[in-house]
Amino acid sequence: MEISRRAFIGGSVVAAILGAIGLKMRERRLDTIEEGRDKKVGPLVEGTWKPTGCLGCTSWCAKEAFIVDGRAIKIRANKVSKIHGGHDCPRAHLAIQQVYDPDRIKQPMKRTNPKKGLNEDPGFVPISWDEAMDILADKIMELRKNDETYKFAVFRGRYTNINGLLYSNLPKIIGSPNNISHSSICAEAEKFGPYYTQGYWNYRDYDVENTKYIICWGVDPLCSNRQVSHYLNVFGQLLERGVKIVTIDPKYSNTAAKSHVWMPVKPGQDGALATAMAHVILTEGLWSKEFVGDFKDGQNRFVTGKTVDEELFEENHTFGLVKWWNLELKDRTPEWAEEVCGVDSETIKNVAIEFAKAGPYAMVFMGGGSNMQIRGGYNSMAVHALNGLVGSVDHEGGTLTGRSPRLQSLPKPDDFMDEMAQRNSKKQKIDQRGYKEFPALKDGKSGGGVVTNRVADAILAEDPYKLKVILAYFCNFNYSCPETKRWHEAMAKVDFLAHCVTHYSEMSHFADLLLPSTHHSFEQMSSAAQKANSYTHLWINERLIDPVYDVKNPETEIPWLLGEKLAQKGFTNLLDYLKTYKDPETGKEPTNPLELELYTLKIRTQPIWDPAKYEETGNHGDKFNSWQEFIQKGIWNSAPYQFKKLWSNMPTETGKFEFYSATLKKALESHAEKHKTTVDDILKTCKYEAKGELAFVPHYEEPYMVGSKNDYPFDFIDAKSRLAREGRSANCSWFQEFKDSDPGDIKWGDCIKMNPDDAERLGLKDGDKVKVISPVGEVVTTLKLWEALRPGTVQKTFGQGHWAMGHIAAEDFAKRIPRGSNNNDIMAAEYERLSGSTAFYGSFRVRIEKA
């Protein structure tokens, strides 16, 4: 691809030189800039701090960018935020390297080679936006001509608060059911447990500032998960005031290094540890009497091995505790768990007792490590149920639901859906959600959730049909989904792919159109909300700089341009719909893409900035007098969280916190009835072992592992990088230079970590080049010996292995030689099927050989 790639990066060297000159002219000690003044050097730096935000991970922190002569030169936390204050994380600073990266896609490009494949040169050539939209509109009109609009799809990765325009409403108007998000390669199994115990399908907040005891389970808050900026700051305060911190993780994580106790559970065995801890809490009589209830005569009858009469226990705000004991917990002793999960029984007992005694000012902070496993759904329930046992649910110092900001819905598309659109948009979605083997039980509904990684198989099998036209944005499923070779084959099979991203990527290689995207932090209006510290904030930013290249906002500008082209070809519905996005202040309808962007943000956030809407939203938080005041401040903070409002008022079938999940029973029975079978058969199809009533309580399941122990002796641990902006940081030199900030990793390279005892047994030494072989593939990387890893496991950090993305991300960009290797190349496409989540943890084995 050497020639076409030269065309693709045309002007890169010149842009890099000019960029360097521009920065050199104003070079100062930028780390000391505060409110525009350089304290150490002295001279005034002429510039302005402007509010913005970061979508580099799911923390979605509020930021400020320092703008000098129309150029962003520094980024910092927005101290007005009540969820992270003025505290920052390392990721945000990489955004500046991203926006000015000379390897960005600079203008629309079209494919000239009709053949698609890893070894095919796409032959991209530059075109105008007018030609690009004309090509895309022709493809959509062809679908409409043939009554095949359901074969159109929108794929979404990261997004902003206005994503509904492109992601939901555009495909409906065209006539397709296919809006496919990245959610199930993110954390759906993590949401499964909280939903089927307390009716909450979302990420939790954690009141760490008022807690006395934290168990970080399968999560590394100092590295990943939500609100890294907040936790990086507050963890030091927790340690100072004597809060006990425990980390449960097979690897020695950033958080484990700051914890009092590290419990290196065997990968996949989280359910054994969780049920054993619940057993201890009950046999020791340490459950929360206020939240859970008590035996009517006050005598504790939870005795190892003995069943309990349900009539003897009176529950307060929970349901089914005694059922849970009788069905699962009575025999789950710490001694039993030690043999299964690899954590000694005394530690299990001590941590369980300390945790319960600290309750309700105690919490289990749960991440995906404990549940994004093939049999992880019940792990998710068991881990979260510990919060219920000690009464920390919706309690100070415990785990909270948080709240979403009061945003206004965008105009409905219904009136602009013709008969074809109404009919075709009701067809089965391409990801096979709701199939017998993919219940995807989001919000209790069969097929309610997405099964992102299954799309590749569906395309290859043409089941439920052949997908022909895809508009994808802010995603790179060819890199971020396990068993990547399936995605390469699937994208090669798709007739037409338009890919809207900032950087050429592995998915872009199979595209027919490259549509260069704005950078959310600087070049477009953006808005996003997140919760932490018992608050919610919403940040918003204007366009802070002129777009560096000829790029468009995928969520507003591209729909408008596409709408205009479709209207020229006789289909006016999309453009007519977009003209209903009227300015809330003036009533004017948009006449161009930038007006649509502005009005969409104003409509969506109107309950935040318009005093006339405050009465409708109740407990409002920050108040503004106008849109202008809101956009200038750039951030809204909610009112403080109100605790205990959910006690006996939970959106479950019983209204209680369910240790016996009537909510899950209803969902499973509904899915079974849909497929004319039994719940037992559904669970077997989904690779679970439970039968009968056990299916409705949190319980232990032996992990389902891909690869036999004899052929693949090491459990594989996928780890997150503290510098990865969701797999998009690798073309930043700062990412590569500071890559060793991930414990045990190396700069400008890639490695797999192994316990020295295992290496000695295999005759391997530190620094050896090794092959990592799984049942679905192999990669070559560097071996690093790492004592902070339990024997029998190997750990590799996700984030390297790009053969696209740019000259820094790849070892040789022109020849498609990656820097390091991608974990997903060797991970099988497996699922936690009850939630639809992709399995990343506790589900795979590998073997290591010298390369």
Side-chain angles (χ1 to χ4, degrees):
M1 287 186 63
E2 189 170 353
I3 294 177
S4 61
R5 282 176 182 255
R6 283 176 183 161
F8 161 66
I9 62 165
S12 293
V13 174
V14 175
I17 293 172
L18 290 176
I21 292 173
L23 286 176
K24 191 71 176 178
M25 288 171 62
R26 298 170 182 82
E27 187 175 292
R28 296 286 188 272
R29 292 289 300 277
L30 295 181
D31 59 320
T32 66
I33 292 177
E34 183 176 346
E35 302 303 333
R37 181 167 295 280
D38 185 334
K39 294 181 179 179
K40 292 187 178 180
V41 179
L44 184 68
V45 177
E46 304 259 344
T48 306
W49 287 104
K50 293 188 175 181
T52 183
C54 178
L55 296 178
C57 73
T58 48
S59 291
W60 298 341
C61 295
K63 301 295 179 184
E64 291 180 308
F66 193 61
I67 309 299
V68 177
D69 293 340
R71 187 179 181 92
I73 64 172
K74 185 174 173 61
I75 197 164
R76 70 181 183 187
N78 189 333
K79 62 186 177 184
V80 178
S81 169
K82 290 186 178 180
I83 69 174
H84 61 64
H87 304 289
D88 231 329
C89 94
R91 289 184 182 90
H93 304 284
L94 299 176
I96 291 180
Q97 285 201 327
Q98 287 181 325
V99 72
Y100 293 113
D101 190 344
D103 280 339
R104 283 181 66 182
I105 305 172
K106 297 172 178 60
Q107 67 276 315
M109 312 277 285
K110 74 175 180 180
R111 185 184 200 92
T112 59
N113 180 5
K115 295 181 180 179
K116 296 182 180 181
L118 279 175
N119 297 318
E120 293 290 340
D121 184 343
F124 286 117
V125 296
I127 59 174
S128 68
W129 276 101
D130 185 72
E131 183 180 353
M133 291 296 100
D134 198 56
I135 293 171
L136 179 57
D138 279 343
K139 294 297 180 181
I140 293 173
M141 291 303 293
E142 185 178 339
L143 293 179
R144 289 194 56 81
K145 177 182 177 181
N146 297 325
D147 195 9
E148 293 183 319
T149 57
Y150 57 91
K151 295 181 180 180
F152 171 79
V154 172
F155 289 175
R156 181 193 75 183
R158 186 53 55 223
Y159 53 89
T160 77
N161 278 336
I162 60 171
N163 72 92
L165 189 164
L166 171 61
Y167 176 67
S168 298
N169 297 341
L170 183 146
K172 288 179 182 178
I173 292 170
I174 290 173
S176 174
N178 289 311
N179 52 341
I180 303 298
S181 81
H182 76 295
S183 299
S184 67
I185 62 170
C186 185
E188 295 305 88
E190 180 186 328
K191 303 171 186 174
F192 184 86
Y195 184 83
Y196 287 107
T197 52
Q198 69 174 90
Y200 184 67
W201 190 284
N202 208 326
Y203 305 117
R204 281 79 52 218
D205 186 11
Y206 299 92
D207 186 19
V208 296
E209 293 198 346
N210 292 306
T211 197
K212 298 177 181 178
Y213 205 101
I214 301 177
I215 300 177
C216 296
W217 202 316
V219 66
D220 189 358
L222 302 183
C223 170
S224 58
N225 207 270
R226 274 127 222 113
Q227 283 313 318
V228 175
S229 298
H230 173 55
Y231 297 123
L232 280 171
N233 168 59
V234 78
F235 260 57
Q237 300 172 18
L238 299 179
L239 293 170
E240 286 179 5
R241 74 168 199 260
V243 173
K244 188 74 171 282
I245 302 175
V246 175
T247 291
I248 299 175
D249 202 312
K251 67 183 183 297
Y252 194 66
S253 64
N254 299 275
T255 304
K258 303 296 183 184
S259 299
H260 299 88
V261 179
W262 172 43
M263 302 170 74
V265 64
K266 290 181 180 178
Q269 297 289 0
D270 306 87
L273 182 53
T275 54
M277 290 176 63
H279 177 97
V280 171
I281 291 170
L282 292 178
T283 56
E284 295 289 329
L286 296 174
W287 68 88
S288 169
K289 308 302 188 295
E290 178 190 16
F291 184 67
V292 178
D294 200 359
F295 287 98
K296 294 176 181 178
D297 62 3
Q299 180 182 342
N300 185 8
R301 289 178 172 79
F302 293 125
V303 178
T304 299
K306 295 186 178 181
T307 58
V308 173
D309 184 346
E310 293 181 40
E311 294 298 320
L312 299 177
F313 196 95
E314 184 173 356
E315 290 185 81
N316 291 337
H317 305 289
T318 65
F319 176 77
L321 176 67
V322 177
K323 284 182 184 290
W324 185 27
W325 170 266
N326 290 338
L327 288 167
E328 171 66 10
L329 297 182
K330 62 184 176 62
D331 298 315
R332 299 305 189 197
T333 65
E335 291 73 23
W336 163 82
E338 178 177 348
E339 296 299 317
V340 176
C341 73
V343 178
D344 68 276
S345 59
E346 277 302 306
T347 300
I348 295 173
K349 186 173 183 179
N350 290 340
V351 168
I353 290 173
E354 289 177 353
F355 171 70
K357 286 183 176 179
Y361 295 89
M363 66 177 70
V364 178
F365 190 136
M366 180 176 66
S370 64
N371 47 65
M372 292 185 76
Q373 306 169 10
I374 297 171
R375 291 176 174 164
Y378 290 107
N379 288 356
S380 183
M381 292 177 70
V383 171
H384 187 63
L386 295 174
N387 288 309
L389 278 181
V390 303
S392 69
V393 176
D394 213 40
H395 192 283
E396 294 95 338
T399 176
L400 318 176
T401 60
R403 63 176 66 76
S404 298
R406 306 298 206 277
L407 297 178
Q408 185 166 257
S409 298
L410 296 176
K412 292 182 178 181
D414 305 45
D415 292 341
F416 302 89
M417 296 173 65
D418 61 14
E419 188 276 333
M420 183 191 300
Q422 292 178 28
R423 172 169 35 86
N424 287 346
S425 63
K426 295 176 183 177
K427 289 186 179 290
Q428 167 71 43
K429 287 180 182 281
I430 190 65
D431 63 345
Q432 303 178 343
R433 69 183 74 182
Y435 278 24
K436 179 182 176 183
E437 65 272 32
F438 289 103
L441 298 174
K442 179 184 177 182
D443 293 333
K445 301 174 184 176
S446 173
V450 65
V451 193
T452 312
N453 199 22
R454 190 65 183 177
V455 171
D457 303 275
I459 290 173
L460 292 171
E462 298 185 14
D463 178 11
Y465 40 75
K466 182 180 180 181
L467 202 60
K468 289 188 174 181
V469 180
I470 299 172
L471 173 59
Y473 81 103
F474 217 158
C475 63
N476 183 14
F477 295 152
N478 292 58
Y479 177 82
S480 57
C481 288
E483 209 168 334
T484 54
K485 62 183 180 183
R486 299 157 38 261
W487 279 93
H488 302 333
E489 294 167 3
M491 292 298 98
K493 185 174 180 176
V494 170
D495 292 352
F496 188 84
L497 168 64
H499 201 206
C500 187
V501 283
T502 57
H503 288 69
Y504 185 84
S505 70
E506 286 74 15
M507 197 172 190
S508 305
H509 184 72
F510 297 89
D512 299 274
L513 277 182
L514 296 180
L515 304 176
S517 171
T518 47
H519 192 286
H520 67 274
S521 290
F522 309 104
E523 297 176 319
Q524 69 182 58
M525 291 196 74
S526 293
S527 175
Q530 190 52 282
K531 56 200 168 194
N533 194 28
S534 75
Y535 287 91
T536 298
H537 76 195
L538 180 144
W539 55 261
I540 190 167
N541 64 281
E542 299 182 271
R543 291 179 171 236
L544 304 185
I545 63 173
D546 291 333
V548 179
Y549 304 112
D550 187 12
V551 296
K552 305 293 183 185
N553 182 342
E555 292 181 336
T556 50
E557 290 186 275
I558 287 178
W560 180 272
L561 295 175
L562 178 60
E564 288 183 323
K565 279 296 177 184
L566 289 172
Q568 292 172 14
K569 298 175 188 297
F571 182 69
T572 65
N573 300 41
L574 178 57
L575 186 60
D576 289 342
Y577 166 68
L578 296 178
K579 288 181 179 179
T580 67
Y581 282 57
K582 297 181 179 180
D583 186 337
E585 291 184 300
T586 67
K588 292 182 179 179
E589 67 180 36
T591 61
N592 58 59
L594 294 184
E595 287 181 350
L596 176 64
E597 179 184 73
L598 173 62
Y599 299 169
T600 304
L601 266 296
K602 291 177 77 171
I603 292 169
R604 192 80 168 103
T605 62
Q606 189 176 2
I608 298 291
W609 58 264
D610 186 350
K613 295 282 185 177
Y614 289 171
E615 290 185 8
E616 300 175 20
T617 58
N619 189 20
H620 188 272
D622 291 349
K623 295 183 178 181
F624 303 93
N625 294 314
S626 66
W627 161 260
Q628 195 59 36
E629 184 181 339
F630 172 51
I631 197 72
Q632 286 178 352
K633 185 174 181 181
I635 187 170
W636 166 87
N637 293 289
S638 70
Y641 189 83
Q642 296 178 320
F643 299 100
K644 295 187 180 181
K645 292 290 185 180
L646 294 175
W647 285 22
S648 289
N649 188 34
M650 294 183 178
T652 58
E653 284 298 301
T654 63
K656 310 279 188 175
F657 186 97
E658 295 182 345
F659 296 117
Y660 177 94
S661 183
T663 306
L664 179 57
K665 183 176 183 178
K666 180 180 179 180
L668 283 172
E669 288 179 344
S670 175
H671 183 71
E673 182 179 350
K674 172 181 173 181
H675 293 282
K676 297 179 173 58
T677 187
T678 65
V679 171
D680 286 356
D681 182 47
I682 293 296
L683 289 175
K684 182 179 179 181
T685 302
C686 294
K687 302 187 178 182
Y688 278 99
E689 298 177 314
K691 295 180 180 179
E693 290 283 275
L694 192 63
F696 313 127
V697 298
H699 66 269
Y700 169 72
E701 297 248 354
E702 183 180 349
Y704 186 109
M705 303 290 284
V706 177
S708 70
K709 190 74 172 176
N710 287 336
D711 295 332
Y712 304 96
F714 292 98
D715 293 343
F716 182 81
I717 301 172
D718 178 79
K720 296 294 178 280
S721 171
R722 68 195 320 167
L723 294 178
R725 292 174 61 86
E726 297 187 320
R728 292 184 286 270
S729 300
N731 209 51
C732 299
S733 59
W734 293 341
F735 173 87
Q736 300 293 348
E737 181 63 24
F738 297 105
K739 189 67 182 65
D740 57 352
S741 65
D742 294 315
D745 276 26
I746 58 178
K747 296 182 178 184
W748 293 88
D750 192 31
C751 68
I752 190 163
K753 284 162 271 191
M754 175 185 286
N755 187 281
D757 291 343
D758 289 328
E760 183 178 6
R761 189 177 69 256
L762 295 175
L764 299 173
K765 61 182 185 298
D766 191 73
D768 280 350
K769 287 292 182 183
V770 295
K771 290 190 290 185
V772 185
I773 306 168
S774 80
V776 300
E778 67 177 67
V779 297
V780 175
T781 187
T782 301
L783 182 70
K784 291 290 290 183
L785 303 189
W786 188 243
E787 291 183 351
L789 194 64
R790 66 172 306 124
T793 65
V794 291
Q795 176 202 330
K796 191 169 180 296
T797 305
F798 174 71
Q800 297 281 40
H802 281 289
W803 46 268
M805 199 64 70
H807 289 78
I808 293 174
E811 193 73 37
D812 190 320
F813 182 51
K815 296 180 179 179
R816 295 192 301 280
I817 299 174
R819 185 182 300 281
S821 57
N822 181 5
N823 293 6
N824 286 320
D825 288 344
I826 58 172
M827 295 171 68
E830 269 293 358
Y831 308 87
E832 197 295 306
R833 294 162 185 258
L834 297 183
S835 65
S837 175
T838 290
F840 284 101
Y841 315 108
S843 302
F844 309 101
R845 294 192 180 103
V846 299
R847 69 174 180 268
I848 309 294
E849 298 176 358
K850 194 165 185 178

